[in-house]
Amino acid sequence: METIRSRSTLLVRDTATDGRWPEWAAKVLSLGVRTVLDVPLMTTADTVGVLGLYSTAPDAFDTDDKAVAHILARHASVAIAAARREASLAQAVDARKLVGQAMGILMERYGVDGDRAFAILRRYSQDSNTKLRDVAQQLIDTRHLPKQT
């Protein structure tokens, strides 16, 4: 958690002698871990995780190990950012499909054009404080617009 909060690398050279987090160190030491190297996984927006390296030997990581850990962390951060962007894009495409289907239902049922169908969905979304995607999904599932209170 300290690595995420501070957005900086954390090295515990020996859990048997490090006094910063005694309860954590005791638990980790009981598992046989003596050295911990945590490198933050950062995107431009935030810290998305930590690359944690552990050793059963005290003071196990040298300068080269730290450099390799930073390179791996950068690669992992890029992969995580790309996966998040892909997931976000997929959600946007799915939402757009749902809204398009719902607009088609309204256009066919009420004889309105695309702009008017979208305006109807948007109004229901705003009036009910419901995401546009969810209003569209409800219309597709039930073939009725949500009840307004």
Side-chain angles (χ1 to χ4, degrees), residues 48-93:
V48 295
V50 173
L51 173 65
L53 303 175
Y54 307 93
S55 176
T56 56
D59 205 16
F61 301 120
D62 62 19
T63 304
D64 289 342
D65 296 325
K66 293 174 197 171
V68 170
H70 280 90
I71 291 168
L72 290 173
R74 277 188 233 119
H75 284 283
S77 297
V78 169
I80 290 169
R84 284 184 169 181
R85 270 193 304 279
E86 188 174 316
S88 179
L89 181 59
Q91 285 178 331
V93 168

Side-chain angles (χ1 to χ4, degrees), residues 22 28 37 66 69 87 101 123-124 143:
V28 173
L37 175 61
K66 293 174 197 171
Q101 289 173 358
R123 188 190 77 219
Y124 272 84
R143 296 294 193 243

